[in-house]
């Protein structure tokens, strides 16, 4: 699956959670916080996934600390898939554009 979120619409952590939930089809009970994001990415999201965050520099400028925390969770999902030995073509991958 290729999912895209657009940094022009993501100016806060709240905006991010709305966008990611829609892009990845999270369940209605998604908690809209970083713990819920981790839980969803590590157990609910079927692989493979390429998450493309277009215009990510706009999000980073608008919310630098939150952006770094969010990207950290997304990178942890990438690392976990690698540590679990999933083939590269079956992993979660983040692409910042």
């Amino acid at each position: 699956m290729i999912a895209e979120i657009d940094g022009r619409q993501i100016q806060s952590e709240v905006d991010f959670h709305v966008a990611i939930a829609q892009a990845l089809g999270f369940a209605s009970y998604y908690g809209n916080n970083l713990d819920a994001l981790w839980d969803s990415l590590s157990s609910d999201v079927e692989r493979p996934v390429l998450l493309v965050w277009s215009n990510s520099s706009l999000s980073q400028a608008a919310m630098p600390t939150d952006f770094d925390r969010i990207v950290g969770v997304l990178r942890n999902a990438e690392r976990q898939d690698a540590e679990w030995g999933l083939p590269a073509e079956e992993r979660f991958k983040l692409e910042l554009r």
Side-chain angles (χ1 to χ4, degrees):
M1 166 199 309
I2 298 174
E4 185 169 356
I5 56 177
D6 188 343
R8 292 176 293 190
Q9 276 77 50
I10 302 172
Q11 302 295 298
S12 70
E13 186 175 342
V14 171
D15 294 341
F16 169 79
H17 288 292
V18 170
I20 195 76
Q22 182 178 19
L24 295 179
F26 288 170
S28 61
Y29 56 81
Y30 174 64
N32 295 300
N33 60 61
L34 295 180
D35 289 333
L37 175 63
W38 173 253
D39 290 345
S40 294
L41 290 176
S42 63
S43 62
D44 296 338
V45 175
E46 187 174 332
R47 306 297 198 256
V49 173
L50 171 60
L51 176 61
V52 176
W53 192 336
S54 62
N55 302 299
S56 60
S57 62
L58 298 176
S59 298
Q60 185 175 27
M63 52 169 193
T65 302
D66 289 338
F67 181 86
D68 290 343
R69 291 173 53 234
I70 291 165
V71 169
V73 171
L74 299 172
R75 294 291 184 210
N76 283 341
E78 288 180 323
R79 277 191 291 280
Q80 177 178 277
D81 284 2
E83 289 170 2
W84 285 359
L86 291 176
E89 65 276 3
E90 295 178 21
R91 297 179 189 170
F92 175 86
K93 177 158 177 45
L94 172 64
E95 189 173 297
L96 299 175
R97 293 186 184 168

